[in-house]
Amino acid sequence: MENFINKNVLLTGISGFLGSHTAIALLNKGYRVIGTLRDMNRAESIREVIAQHTPHADRLQFAEAELLDAEVWKSLTKGMDYVVHVASPFPRELPKDENELIVPAKQGTLHVLEAAAANGVKRVVLVSSIAAVVYGKKETELAKVFTEKDWTDVTNLQDTEPYFRSKTLAEKAAWDFVERTGRGMELVSILPGAMLGPVLENDYGTSANIVVKILAGKMPAMPHIGFEIVDVRAVAELLVLSMEAPHADGQRFMATAGPMTMKEIAATLKHHYPNRKISTREMPNFLAKLLAVFEPSLKPVLLDLGKTRKVRGDRAVNELGWNPGSPSDAIISCAKSVLDLKIVQ
């Protein structure tokens, strides 16, 4: 068994929801971590947050980096054993021009990979998304169960949106790069569903918004949609497992604990917080479409109205011994954290 203590890991996007949890998982296993930020002014507050969850915050350093700055990655990947590439643009509102998302996602990934390959990094673990598997489908295709062998068809604009296309194109570019010029560098991609679980600070992940809005009583009824859910802590563990396991090289692994509808999420929260004003009613599809006109953040949701996208997500469990946890634990731990942090009063 390889000894991973004192190995160096470059972790991109450490300030994000998954980035912070991944830093904690890596530090707790003895790695030295350099976490990249877009703004070094956030370094100390992030260190304080991470230090609450690991006794090894002294093994953590920070570096400022922009995805589109090719030069910075050349210096940051020097001396690194591994790179875990989490950073990716994820807007709360869709940009008018989808290239504002696609270009940094794809080019940023290529900059990181090119630098890692040039500097002899052993393995890169790339965070992609289930969105790179299950979209761009015709109605007839939705009857099948999707696996890691499937890809989102970015040419089908009716059944994709810019964020999904950005994740798909970035991951495809990564596999193409390694195939063409990887110089023996290994690549693994992890494809999480909607990540819930404990929020560590007030600047929280976009998917935690689902729980925040339901808990705050801001959803009088739920749109008729469902998606794969996973605990952010389990995804962080999977990133470490896939970095360490020799046989993970060249593989894609979906990260999900199972599907839940918005109504089921609301019911889970209502059960745990019976005194809060939480609606478990479902709104008709036409109303969800109408609301999306006034609430732009709902637009991507419309692709899933009344549709089920089934996945077979047990590959990481079977091949890497991963424990995905349960969807309800991910929901309740998320709720507890946003109440503790007073994000929801």
Side-chain angles (χ1 to χ4, degrees):
M1 182 72 187
E2 189 173 347
N3 181 9
F4 295 103
I5 298 286
N6 287 338
K7 292 275 169 116
N8 295 313
V9 182
L10 180 67
L11 172 65
T12 74
I14 192 172
S15 62
F17 187 37
L18 176 57
S20 303
H21 278 283
T22 305
I24 293 161
L26 287 164
L27 292 164
N28 281 335
K29 283 205 80 177
Y31 290 96
R32 295 182 194 281
V33 178
I34 294 182
T36 74
L37 301 158
R38 291 173 66 189
D39 178 5
M40 277 300 268
N41 289 329
R42 295 208 55 209
E44 277 320 299
S45 65
I46 290 159
R47 182 188 294 281
E48 280 171 28
V49 166
I50 287 170
Q52 289 167 29
H53 303 275
T54 174
H56 306 296
D58 58 312
R59 306 169 75 86
L60 173 63
Q61 291 174 278
F62 296 96
E64 196 166 47
E66 277 284 349
L67 285 173
L68 292 177
D69 178 358
E71 291 307 308
V72 75
W73 301 109
K74 289 176 188 171
S75 61
L76 287 178
T77 49
K78 277 188 184 140
M80 290 296 131
D81 298 290
Y82 304 96
V83 174
V84 179
H85 183 39
V86 180
S88 187
F90 193 134
R92 296 222 170 163
E93 284 192 15
L94 287 178
K96 295 226 176 343
D97 177 3
E98 66 173 36
N99 283 319
E100 285 177 39
L101 266 181
I102 291 169
V103 172
K106 183 177 168 182
Q107 272 314 116
T109 297
L110 287 173
H111 287 331
V112 171
L113 286 172
E114 283 159 6
N119 282 319
V121 169
K122 177 179 167 60
R123 179 176 291 184
V124 174
V125 179
L126 170 69
V127 178
S128 182
S129 167
I130 273 185
V133 169
V134 299
Y135 290 97
K137 309 300 178 193
K138 302 185 189 77
E139 288 291 333
T140 50
E141 292 176 282
L142 289 175
K144 73 173 273 188
V145 177
F146 299 107
T147 72
E148 286 87 350
K149 290 190 172 77
D150 294 294
W151 283 92
T152 287
D153 176 3
V154 294
T155 65
N156 178 342
L157 300 185
Q158 268 65 53
D159 193 46
T160 55
E161 55 94 359
Y163 175 70
F164 302 161
R165 294 197 283 277
S166 80
K167 292 306 278 185
T168 309
L169 291 165
E171 191 192 347
K172 281 201 153 167
W175 287 116
D176 289 347
F177 171 79
V178 167
E179 210 169 286
R180 274 194 339 269
T181 57
R183 300 176 205 152
M185 186 179 71
E186 299 172 352
L187 178 66
V188 186
S189 67
I190 303 301
L191 297 79
M195 286 183 284
L196 298 174
V199 165
L200 302 178
E201 54 163 348
N202 285 26
D203 183 14
Y204 53 89
T206 313
S207 39
N209 245 346
I210 301 163
V211 170
V212 168
K213 283 192 166 162
I214 295 173
L215 262 189
K218 290 183 178 168
M219 304 267 292
M222 303 298 138
H224 179 43
I225 59 161
F227 30 76
E228 298 293 326
I229 287 178
V230 63
D231 193 308
V232 65
R233 294 166 295 185
V235 180
E237 288 297 334
L238 181 55
L239 291 177
V240 181
L241 280 172
S242 63
M243 189 179 88
E244 294 176 348
H247 59 282
D249 175 32
Q251 306 298 324
R252 303 172 88 201
F253 293 98
M254 279 195 275
T256 170
M260 277 186 110
T261 63
M262 291 284 284
K263 183 178 178 173
E264 287 168 335
I265 293 170
T268 302
L269 289 166
K270 181 94 177 159
H271 177 72
H272 276 79
Y273 298 100
N275 298 330
R276 294 192 78 89
K277 203 174 125 201
I278 294 170
S279 167
T280 55
R281 288 184 308 162
E282 217 160 40
M283 69 175 77
N285 289 351
F286 79 86
L287 189 57
K289 287 175 183 168
L290 188 63
L291 280 177
V293 175
F294 303 102
E295 176 56 74
S297 67
L298 279 175
K299 281 231 173 73
V301 161
L302 297 184
L303 291 181
D304 289 316
L305 264 186
K307 288 182 183 170
T308 308
R309 300 175 195 269
K310 297 186 286 292
V311 302
R312 171 127 191 236
D314 57 358
R315 190 171 180 211
V317 176
N318 297 336
E319 294 185 19
L320 299 176
W322 177 55
N323 175 10
S326 77
S328 57
D329 282 352
I331 292 161
I332 297 310
S333 60
C334 184
K336 183 181 182 309
S337 68
V338 297
L339 290 167
D340 289 348
L341 288 168
K342 300 194 165 36
I343 291 166
V344 175
Q345 297 296 331

